[in-house]
Amino acid sequence: MTRTHRPGISVPLRLTPSFDAKAWGGRRLESFGKQLPAGKIGESLESRDDAVVDGGPFHGVTLGSLVSSHSESLLGSRGELAAKPFGGFPLLVKLIDAHDDLSVQVHPDDLGAPAGKRGKTEAWYILAAEPGARIISGVHGPISIDSVRDQLVETEVMPGEVYFVPAGTVHAIGKGVLLYEIQQASDVTWRLYDWGRPREIHVDEALIAARPEHHAFRVAPCQVEEGRDILVACRHFALERWRIDGQRPLPAAPETCRVLTVLDGEINLDGVMLPRGATAVLPADLPDLTIQGDAVCLLGYVPELDSDVREPLRAAGYDAGSIRALGADL
């Protein structure tokens, strides 16, 4: 059937990600269908500005170019607000393979970020973890750079767990963890400690950005309806898990862009096939659609906390404490 292209974008945008080689990376992203270049690959950057549309009327166009040429259609009013004042696509989704321990890091918040940069709050969904694998989830007490190794809080993780990592948290992903990450689109990272490896350490910047009272914490998902859970919700992003069993309606969301990643199975989204590991950006002007297939997906977006999170969860029977626990900013 010949498709009639509507004004704006109004079609799902399957993306070809970019890959980052890392000293701590591995090859496990191949298990998610990624065609990796040679070497140790640490990150598959699913929705960075240089991600390229694969197929459809915008084939070969980068996501960043579409932000420039179709900002309102792509981002919606909330997405455009989240993109200001620096521009670019405001939600960065990554798949991260920690074959070795990552450095212990701190990201500043928006107020503490360098000029021209956003801060960085993020959340993690654990895809796989070797027995005993852990994350660094914070520090004990005020930071002493001479004894910071002894102050690190280690948390063992399991597949399916969700962790919220507010800006200012001292944190690291440990060896043997494979995870999905959603974050503000920012690359500001200050290394505080690097396990004796000879890389640059940003002690002064990290100590200024660090909030020792902040910890990465495990979030208890809240079920809105059968097959749909809200995993995280803060002012920067919300993340939901959807289970598709045959078919499921995908309502329009004209105020926000959305990023959909398939964790298991395969779906057909208005003729766009998305296998395990694939990511598509759903533009704000996408009409109501039906997702077909058998799969588990993660869906990230820029929320309006009352209408998208608080009200539906109250209606589902959750109290204020459970809702507030979905994110530090809530």
Side-chain angles (χ1 to χ4, degrees):
M1 182 175 68
T2 302
R3 182 187 183 93
T4 301
H5 179 58
R6 297 178 287 265
I9 298 179
S10 62
V11 293
L13 302 169
R14 176 172 169 168
L15 298 177
T16 299
S18 57
F19 301 107
D20 273 359
K22 300 288 186 181
W24 43 261
R27 305 294 300 178
R28 286 190 299 175
L29 293 175
E30 290 177 328
S31 68
F32 275 79
K34 303 301 181 184
Q35 301 296 313
L36 301 181
K40 298 179 178 181
I41 304 303
E43 297 180 335
S44 176
L45 298 125
E46 302 289 300
S47 61
R48 196 164 69 175
D49 282 349
D50 60 357
V52 178
V53 178
D54 178 15
F58 298 96
H59 179 72
V61 180
T62 66
L63 188 57
S65 296
L66 285 174
V67 172
S68 298
S69 63
H70 292 73
S71 177
E72 183 178 359
S73 298
L74 178 62
L75 302 181
S77 57
R78 274 188 250 141
E80 285 189 311
L81 187 61
K84 291 179 179 178
F86 310 119
F89 193 75
L91 298 175
L92 178 55
V93 165
K94 301 178 181 180
L95 302 180
I96 298 178
D97 176 13
H99 186 70
D100 200 355
D101 294 324
L102 276 67
S103 61
V104 179
Q105 307 172 353
V106 183
H107 307 305
D109 59 19
D110 288 341
L111 293 177
K117 298 283 188 176
R118 295 183 183 89
K120 184 174 173 182
T121 286
E122 58 194 314
W124 299 335
Y125 184 100
I126 308 299
L127 299 172
E130 295 175 0
R134 83 275 186 264
I135 60 172
I136 302 300
S137 56
V139 289
H140 295 292
I143 298 170
S144 169
I145 196 62
D146 293 329
S147 58
V148 66
R149 173 65 184 89
D150 297 327
Q151 294 183 278
L152 300 176
V153 178
E154 299 187 5
T155 301
E156 190 170 336
V157 297
M158 300 288 289
E161 292 179 340
V162 183
Y163 289 85
F164 188 83
V165 190
T169 302
V170 175
H171 67 280
I173 302 169
K175 176 181 180 179
V177 177
L178 180 69
L179 60 77
Y180 164 105
E181 176 179 286
I182 186 170
Q183 60 161 89
Q184 292 176 269
S186 171
D187 60 358
V188 182
T189 296
W190 306 131
R191 290 194 193 104
L192 182 64
Y193 178 79
D194 199 21
W195 316 104
R197 290 180 289 217
R199 295 196 293 176
E200 183 181 6
I201 302 295
H202 315 97
V203 172
D204 292 341
E205 296 91 340
L207 290 177
I208 291 171
R211 300 290 180 266
E213 70 276 13
H214 287 185
H215 284 239
F217 59 89
R218 185 179 172 187
V219 181
C222 294
Q223 186 180 77
V224 185
E225 57 187 279
E226 183 68 28
R228 179 186 164 210
D229 303 314
I230 297 181
L231 304 180
V232 169
C234 67
R235 65 188 179 90
H236 303 296
F237 53 78
L239 182 65
E240 299 187 6
R241 178 176 56 205
W242 287 31
R243 302 183 187 277
I244 316 300
D245 184 14
Q247 63 180 28
R248 187 178 191 93
L250 178 68
E255 294 183 351
T256 181
C257 49
R258 293 172 288 180
V259 184
L260 184 150
T261 301
V262 179
L263 299 187
D264 286 299
E266 181 179 59
I267 62 171
N268 181 334
L269 188 56
D270 200 29
V272 177
M273 301 302 299
L274 297 173
R276 183 173 190 249
T279 293
V281 163
L282 310 181
D285 68 353
L286 191 71
D288 293 344
L289 297 178
T290 298
I291 305 176
Q292 297 178 322
D294 293 286
V296 177
C297 306
L298 295 183
L299 186 71
Y301 57 94
V302 181
E304 201 292 310
L305 289 173
D306 278 333
S307 61
D308 292 333
V309 178
R310 294 187 182 101
E311 292 173 7
L313 287 180
R314 286 184 193 126
Y318 288 92
D319 60 25
S322 299
I323 298 170
R324 191 163 47 247
L326 290 170
D329 289 344
L330 195 56

